[in-house]
Amino acid sequence: MKNNYSRLTFLLLIAIFTFTTNVDAQLTLPAGSPEAEVSQRVGITDITIHYNRPYVKGREIWGKLVPYGFNDLGFGTSKSAPWRAGADYNTTIEFTHDVKIEGKDVKAGKYALFFALEENGDVTGVLSSNTTSWGSYFYDETEDVLRFNVKSKDIDTSVEMLTYSFDTADATSTVASLKWAKKEIPVKIEVAVTDIVMEGIANDLRNPNGFRQATWDQAANYAFNAGNIDKALEWVNASISGNFFSKETFSNLALKSQILAKQGKTAEASSYVDKAAAMGTSREVYGLGTQLLGTDVDKAFGILKANVKNSKGAWPSNYGLARAYSAKGDYKNAIKSINKSLTVAPANFKPRLEQSVERLKKGEDINK
């Protein structure tokens, strides 16, 4: 019994040693197809593609190394697999908020990205919930989250290493492109930026940020600029009154006047302009008055003229009055006001004032 126990112990030690040696043999070595990651922000939504980058290495890629369509790769469980859209592990694409891919809705999350190309240039894109497999050998159609269709493009210059990039982006969308050899696969991704931001603001107003007046001012400004007038009014009213932090300021009164004007409540909007003007600095009132030049010249003129008196001619009050005179077609008095402004204007602004004088002498409105 003792000999059997000793033999068993010896064999166990050998097994442990062998296992430890095998574990230690897992070296960190460079990948044949290096890992890469590229990201693009649209609004406040981050889009991230993680992939491995194979080389062309003189091989024929499309239709050969990457066969057309869905294929039986001769290994794994899939009998109709798309291309892994990269090398090694699944290529993945991740969205921090809901998006649209080629017009189709996709929930926020991380997905495997596959492509199936046809010889005529048509491409079927696939988003799968299985993000951790090696390639597409075990691709399972039941794990598809989305299929979409795009068109590949031939490019003039061959790309040696497979590359993903975001070549175009605007306020609400971007195009993610795969380029390899002499082919490009572009995919349009759209983001409902305003809806996402508004939802985030509504949540922020319920957390500790909502205990600060500045948060409500910022929220109201965003809603107004985004065209959500009702929310803008609700949030600016909360800044003005009704909360422990609420108080009237130049900023929230001026914003409320703009909101009311948008709603067509002209008389009420005008009263808030007067309230704001009484609280503003010379620069703030200049901004308020010049903003009104496009909608109510007489109101703007009264505010900008009072600003010169109340600020004792501080910069840039006389320049604002000059713009008001110009808007009324009184170029003679506009020149007089600019000349007064020149005596107190910053050195880097004087050339602009001098140019304005020359334009006024030619009978040109300096507001245009």
Side-chain angles (χ1 to χ4, degrees), residues 76-329:
T77 57
S78 180
K79 302 303 179 185
S80 182
W83 174 49
R84 72 181 83 185
D88 301 343
Y89 280 99
N90 291 349
T91 294
T92 61
I93 186 166
E94 187 170 7
F95 314 101
T96 56
H97 299 92
D98 296 354
V99 301
K100 286 183 182 290
I101 292 185
E102 294 295 329
K104 296 184 177 182
D105 292 330
V106 180
K107 293 292 185 183
K110 185 177 183 180
Y111 306 95
L113 174 64
F114 300 108
F115 289 125
L117 290 81
E118 302 297 338
E119 194 168 0
N120 65 2
D122 290 344
V123 181
T124 299
V126 180
L127 294 189
S128 170
S129 61
N130 185 341
T131 62
T132 58
S133 293
W134 183 269
S136 55
Y137 299 105
F138 299 90
Y139 167 75
D140 185 344
E141 186 177 347
T142 64
E143 296 171 331
D144 285 4
V145 174
L146 177 74
R147 287 195 177 193
F148 58 92
N149 299 309
V150 293
K151 196 82 174 177
S152 64
K153 299 191 298 186
D154 294 330
I155 54 179
D156 295 330
T157 303
S158 182
V159 177
E160 177 65 20
M161 289 183 73
L162 186 149
T163 301
Y164 281 92
S165 59
F166 294 95
D167 296 331
T168 62
D170 57 30
T172 59
S173 69
T174 186
V175 175
S177 294
L178 178 154
K179 300 185 187 74
W180 198 26
K182 286 194 172 184
K183 196 173 286 292
E184 176 182 357
I185 303 173
V187 178
K188 186 171 184 179
I189 304 169
E190 298 170 280
V191 182
V193 174
T194 299
D195 292 344
I196 290 168
V197 173
M198 289 293 289
E199 183 179 348
I201 288 173
N203 186 61
D204 284 341
L205 293 174
R206 299 168 61 184
N207 67 32
N209 287 325
F211 291 83
R212 299 167 57 246
Q213 183 184 34
T215 303
W216 292 84
D217 288 340
Q218 191 177 11
N221 270 291
Y222 182 85
F224 177 73
N225 291 322
N228 194 326
I229 304 303
D230 291 339
K231 274 295 177 186
L233 184 60
E234 176 188 333
W235 290 340
V236 80
N237 281 339
S239 172
I240 292 171
S241 63
N243 296 292
F244 72 90
F245 53 73
S246 301
K247 63 178 181 295
E248 291 185 348
T249 66
F250 170 83
S251 296
N252 59 28
L253 293 172
L255 177 59
K256 185 165 182 176
S257 74
Q258 291 179 273
I259 294 169
L260 293 170
K262 264 301 189 199
Q263 293 179 324
K265 300 174 181 178
T266 307
E268 196 176 350
S270 181
S271 70
Y272 275 91
V273 167
D274 292 336
K275 282 186 176 182
M279 298 184 70
T281 65
S282 175
R283 288 177 180 273
E284 288 173 335
V285 176
Y286 164 82
L288 178 66
T290 54
Q291 187 176 42
L292 283 169
L293 286 173
T295 56
D296 190 341
V297 174
D298 290 335
K299 183 73 173 179
F301 181 81
I303 288 172
L304 293 168
K305 187 172 183 180
N307 193 32
V308 173
K309 179 181 178 181
N310 295 336
S311 68
K312 299 180 180 179
W315 167 255
S317 60
N318 271 298
Y319 178 54
L321 182 56
R323 290 184 59 181
Y325 276 124
S326 179
K328 291 170 74 70

